[in-house]
């Protein structure tokens, strides 16, 4: 993993991806493998290789699950890939799915905000409004709630 990070710091994305994939292949299931898989996925995304990034993000979820910050990174990464590929509704659904599956996690309202943004960009204002309203109703003390209130107000929805 160290060689992958060195390549990354040298701005050599292809080498960093290659070294990360070697760590995954050699040490599958280890903590280093988890980090290497996400590093490869994120670098593929940054390189605009969205299909390959999506495969890696899903592999992370399949192999390691969606718990914790790294799990959210993998789930959100898959959603961002869908968005980059033009599937805004699919991306919104993926973010909403995370929030449904992890409703007690700090990332849930963030995922709902991202879902709402994607649905709004896709022109599905009803689903966007529902996501923002869910934030206001269920996560009123979160930092994201103020953003949701503002978005709802911009959409002409009165808030109590």
């Amino acid at each position: 993993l160290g060689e992958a990070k060195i390549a990354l710091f040298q701005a050599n994305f292809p080498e960093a991806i290659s070294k990360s994939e070697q760590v995954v292949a050699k040490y599958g299931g280890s903590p280093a493998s988890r980090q290497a898989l996400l590093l490869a996925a994120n670098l593929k995304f940054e390189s605009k290789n969205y299909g390959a990034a999506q495969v890696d993000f899903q592999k992370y979820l399949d192999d390691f699950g969606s718990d914790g910050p790294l799990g959210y990174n993998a789930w959100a990464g898959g959603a961002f890939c869908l968005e980059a590929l033009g599937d805004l509704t699919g991306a919104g659904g993926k973010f909403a799915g995370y929030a449904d599956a992890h409703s007690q996690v700090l990332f849930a309202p963030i995922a709902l905000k991202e879902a709402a943004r994607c649905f709004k960009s896709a022109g599905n204002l009803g689903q966007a409004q529902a996501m923002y309203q869910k934030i206001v109703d269920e996560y009123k003390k979160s930092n994201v709630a103020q953003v949701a209130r503002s978005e709802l107000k911009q959409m002409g929805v009165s808030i109590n």
Side-chain angles (χ1 to χ4, degrees), residues 114 119 138:
E114 291 298 325
F119 289 136
E138 296 180 22

Side-chain angles (χ1 to χ4, degrees), residues 68-104:
L70 297 180
Y72 178 70
N73 177 256
W75 196 303
F80 284 123
C81 287
L82 289 172
E83 182 179 8
L85 292 168
D87 184 1
L88 295 169
T89 300
K94 190 151 182 83
F95 280 118
Y98 178 89
D100 288 343
H102 301 85
S103 62
Q104 301 303 310

Side-chain angles (χ1 to χ4, degrees), residues 12-46:
N12 187 346
F13 281 16
E15 182 69 11
I17 291 168
S18 175
K19 294 294 185 185
S20 295
E21 290 173 338
Q22 289 172 23
V23 170
V24 172
K26 188 171 182 178
Y27 302 104
S30 71
S33 175
R34 292 170 71 120
Q35 292 178 17
L37 183 55
L38 281 181
L39 178 60
N42 283 309
L43 290 174
K44 289 173 185 176
F45 183 88
E46 290 300 319

